[in-house]
Amino acid sequence: MIRNKINEILDALPESELEKVYWPLVSIHKNYLFRKNVTDKGVLISEILEDSQKIIDSWDRAFAQNISQEVKESIYYNQFKWHIFSYEKQECLIGCLAREAFDEAAKDELYVMYQNSPDVWLYSHANQVVSADFDSEQDIYVFDKNFTWTYVHTHESMCGPYFYSKS
């Protein structure tokens, strides 16, 4: 039913207006494929509604607490938290080593957040998730519920991915 309504709207639009519809659809489709790939592995995805800012703040405390505010400002930390790794302010694994470490980490429950988004997601039963599952994502932060490690996939092909473990 909804497909017919959408097709009616699309058919009524001139070709010059279709590009305005195309790019949002591409984004929706990409997001759908990403989530489908993960959920096909048995992962349950839940949005954290009440404590998302607390979790984001906890990520900052867990993985960037030893970095001064002055240094954070100089590396544009507020723009991209992962700059603590790309500017080598926090020692971490990079590239293939980061992928291997993430793939081997225990991942029953994970938090997932994106740069500059207030949303945090809980991935349950996520043991089958691997680093390649996040290759289509940009500026995504994946970390365990105990904040002992984090995996970051950036939007820059020459930066990362990064894996940092507090142990």
Side-chain angles (χ1 to χ4, degrees), residues 1-57:
M1 181 70 159
I2 191 73
R3 183 177 300 274
N4 290 338
K5 290 179 182 181
I6 291 170
N7 285 336
E8 281 179 35
I9 293 169
L10 291 175
D11 289 343
L13 288 174
E15 190 71 25
S16 61
E17 294 294 315
L18 289 177
E19 191 161 333
K20 294 176 185 175
V21 176
Y22 177 75
W23 291 110
L25 281 177
V26 167
S27 179
I28 291 167
H29 185 245
K30 179 182 147 287
N31 187 284
Y32 165 77
L33 291 175
F34 167 71
R35 288 180 177 272
K36 182 179 182 327
N37 176 57
V38 173
T39 57
D40 282 352
K41 294 181 175 197
V43 176
L44 301 175
I45 301 175
S46 308
E47 185 174 6
I48 306 289
L49 297 173
E50 295 176 17
D51 292 332
S52 61
Q53 189 58 52
K54 244 197 266 188
I55 293 167
I56 293 167
D57 294 343

Side-chain angles (χ1 to χ4, degrees), residues 148-163:
T148 59
W149 59 261
T150 188
Y151 177 78
V152 182
H153 190 275
T154 75
H155 70 276
E156 303 241 2
S157 60
M158 68 271 206
C159 294
Y162 303 106
F163 184 89

Side-chain angles (χ1 to χ4, degrees), residues 24 49 68 71 76 85 90 99 104 120 137 154 166:
L49 297 173
S68 72
V71 169
Y76 309 101
F85 306 122
Q90 193 69 281
R99 290 176 175 281
E104 293 172 9
V120 177
E137 300 303 288
T154 75
K166 293 175 18 176

Side-chain angles (χ1 to χ4, degrees), residues 19-149:
E19 191 161 333
K20 294 176 185 175
V21 176
Y22 177 75
W23 291 110
L25 281 177
V26 167
S27 179
I28 291 167
H29 185 245
K30 179 182 147 287
N31 187 284
Y32 165 77
L33 291 175
F34 167 71
R35 288 180 177 272
K36 182 179 182 327
N37 176 57
V38 173
T39 57
D40 282 352
K41 294 181 175 197
V43 176
L44 301 175
I45 301 175
S46 308
E47 185 174 6
I48 306 289
L49 297 173
E50 295 176 17
D51 292 332
S52 61
Q53 189 58 52
K54 244 197 266 188
I55 293 167
I56 293 167
D57 294 343
S58 293
W59 190 97
D60 290 330
R61 282 191 304 279
F63 303 117
Q65 72 178 9
N66 60 322
I67 300 168
S68 72
Q69 192 59 38
E70 183 178 274
V71 169
K72 286 179 182 176
E73 288 173 16
S74 73
I75 64 170
Y76 309 101
Y77 177 81
N78 286 338
Q79 188 177 15
F80 296 107
K81 294 176 186 296
W82 54 263
H83 281 176
I84 62 174
F85 306 122
S86 64
Y87 280 86
E88 299 179 355
K89 303 303 179 187
Q90 193 69 281
E91 195 170 314
C92 66
L93 299 174
I94 303 171
C96 292
L97 293 175
R99 290 176 175 281
E100 289 172 13
F102 177 78
D103 291 348
E104 293 172 9
K107 300 181 286 284
D108 186 48
E109 289 191 310
L110 303 173
Y111 287 129
V112 175
M113 66 182 193
Y114 291 86
Q115 187 70 49
N116 300 320
S117 171
D119 302 325
V120 177
W121 305 90
L122 175 65
Y123 285 31
S124 301
H125 310 292
N127 286 316
Q128 299 302 312
V129 171
V130 294
S131 58
D133 295 329
F134 299 101
D135 286 352
S136 67
E137 300 303 288
Q138 296 185 355
D139 303 322
I140 189 170
Y141 299 77
V142 182
F143 47 103
D144 68 314
K145 283 187 76 174
N146 295 323
F147 298 90
T148 59
W149 59 261

